[in-house]
Amino acid sequence: MLAELCCERRPGFWRMLLVAVCMALLGCLRAQGLQGHVSVVLLGATGDLAKKYLWQGLFQLYLEEAGKGHNFSFHGAALTATEQGQEVVAKILEALSCPKDVTPDRCTELKGQFQRLSQYHQLKTTEDYAALNKDIEALVQRQGLWEAGRIFYFSVPPFAYADIARSINGSCRPGPGAWLRVVLEKPFGHNHQSAQQLAADLGSFFHEEEMYRVDHYLGKQAVAQILPFRDQNRKALDGLWSRHHVERVEIVLKETVDAEGRTSFYEEYGVIRDVLQNHLTEILTLVAMELPFDVGSSEAVLRHKLQVFQALRGLRRGSAVLGQYQAYSEQVRRELHKPAGFLSLTPTFAGVLVHVDNLRWEGVPFLLMSGKALDERAGYVRVLLRNRACCVQSEARWAAEQSACLPRQVVFHIGHGALGGPAVLVSRNLFRPALPRGWEEAAGPPGLRLFGRPLSDFHVYRPEREQDAYSVLISRIFHGRKDSFIATESLLASWAFWTPLLDSLAREAPRLYPGGADHGHLLDFEFSGGQLSFSVQQAEQLVPGPGSAPTPSDFQVLKATYRDGPLVTAWAEELIAKLAGDVEAAAVRAVRRSGQFHLALSGGSSPVALFQQLAMGHYAFPWARTHLWLVDERCVPLWDPESNFQGLQTHLLQHVRVPHYNVHPMPVHRHRRLCAEEDRGAEAYAEDIAALVANSSFDLVLLGMGADGHTASLFPQSPAGLEGEPLVVLTESPSGPRRRMSLSLPLINRARRVAVLVMGRLKREIALLVSRVGHEPRKWPISGVRPASGQLVWYMDYEAFLG
């Protein structure tokens, strides 16, 4: 009844007065202890991150908070259809685990409670979000509760953030008096410019206090202990935590796994963007920041972290050393369908020297290091103090707790490694630390040595109960602890710090290393005069054979003519880079001219490398103004691996932010039938082109050339589309899938610019033949490509051009 009165519309002053009275009454009811309801919406609820960590973290939140008077509902959401999504979520919930101190019977009971509070929703449209909003409101009202707040956890790719944010802001915000918390997963941009754009997009829908950017390393127990440790031991550390006593700080994350299965992500981001710009930089700020008077104040912590960013000395090219494990380029070639000669410049190892130019840390080197396929899996922060003592007796007689000559260090051991889990270690010749509740002194395995010293040289503290990082962070989100998350100002400051270095290293060839424990000395580095360099100056020959492998910078793009048109020829990687640059230039010109860029893309394997190049190396591309069309399509469902649209989705669309209404797949699947002539799919596509593309003249059409001289899906054996009025036609392929849909030659020839991409040694014979024939499209359809008033440019790699 109260809710109905509060929502009733009254004009002017009386309406304002009624709202004030209602809010006062609601406040009184809350003060009397009426339970508040919290809705948690997990977007991407069927994805890998949700399966591995997030549902378990939400269950842990329920276990911790449900008994304290909080009322919950959990809403899994994804694009997956309702029935299928319900099945996936049900399996995930069944696999949840309880803490070790919970009996099996009690665990079964708790899981049952959590499952009854959890449901699945398909969220695709604004109407779906509005329906979810109504469901939540009805649930709260039905149970006689008031709504405390809502949490939306974005476990989805960043390109989907803006559309989801718009839907939440417009259709699914909680009512007055309830809070909203939106949780965002990295990556938060690719450089300073893209991070600014993403921050601006999200800032138009959410307030800063509503956004929680997750860096899961801030939930690691040893990392989360850095500030409390410094606070609890202020008296002992005040005289030590500065340039006068600290020799250096090492922040290290090493992995034994390589990038197999993740090369698409790694080619776009690399080790610096993946680890150093976020995880290790955040840890650096926790070590280097001035300690606030109240470390429990999120506002004070974030303000002091920002002061560290303002004091960072700018990075130079010599501030970093880069490495790449030997098998990486081969993995990229295999997983991303790169040509045989492709060599990646993406670093999988980096060491970076950072300086904080303020009174406390001036001159102290902070060494950030991370890499894949290394000798061990370990993460730690090591603060090594200077030692001015000189002991007369030999080392064998040093007393562990007395000798001033022992190394003095404080180590926050993040996980794995020799200790196997989180720990805080303090040299016994420093002081006996105090630690907050939940940590206890522990002994390690006998005979274990860390940093050249036996474990007995340290006071060792471990958490009484180990917790997963996501469980820690989800609890802090619920309690509104923003100091464990990345503020917009800190995010942009971090990208402003790292982007110049990333730009300067973009064409730097990393040092090859075999991976594993062998030849690890190849990555040892040293610093002098503010610069890093590898200790071993001449890398060993890792690849048998005469000479070293060439790098892409050794090649040049050559220009000539082919069939009386411009020809661009180079090695495959350089050719793709040149074509991608030309496509972007055409896009910029078209947007400047008409406000839109209409690009028609061919399918098959040849353009895959181009799609990846556009997705990963052209961040100023005007995607928001770009319309993507297909040149041709196989008559298979759009989700079939044979579908050209599926290839476009996998290699380009999921990485860039093209508005979904600007993407135009061919309608090969209508009324549950494939390319049935009576469904008029070809005519429908032609009508869309005529309606949206001025004069049906694409700004750019990308074609390939088959070994039989076909282009698009226009084949010598199938004369459809070679001439006549139809703009879009159905054709027959000599190989499966036989049925195709294709733009016609007359439509292709209306384009302002046509680019033909020809790659691979198998195309040498047809390339030579086509160079000699005239206008014979019935024999060789590619020979019929002659833009009436536009330009035709051929892009051919050396293998196709020279054999």
Side-chain angles (χ1 to χ4, degrees), residues 124 214 219 251 328 437 519 691 702 727:
K124 293 181 72 173
V214 168
I251 306 175
Y328 178 76
R437 252 183 342 182
H519 304 288
L702 174 70
L727 301 182

Side-chain angles (χ1 to χ4, degrees), residues 728-788:
V728 184
V729 295
L730 294 176
T731 67
E732 294 286 337
S733 167
S735 59
R738 297 184 62 86
R739 200 77 163 137
R740 308 287 180 96
M741 185 179 290
S742 178
L743 304 186
S744 68
L745 266 183
L747 177 58
I748 291 169
N749 285 332
R750 291 187 190 184
R752 290 176 174 271
R753 186 182 179 99
V754 177
V756 182
L757 177 62
V758 186
M759 295 177 64
R761 190 166 298 162
L762 296 178
K763 301 292 178 68
R764 170 60 185 145
E765 187 174 339
I766 188 64
L768 182 62
L769 176 64
V770 169
S771 70
R772 299 170 177 170
V773 304
H775 182 73
E776 300 182 67
R778 287 184 174 270
K779 288 186 177 180
W780 300 283
I782 188 67
S783 71
V785 178
R786 290 184 172 183

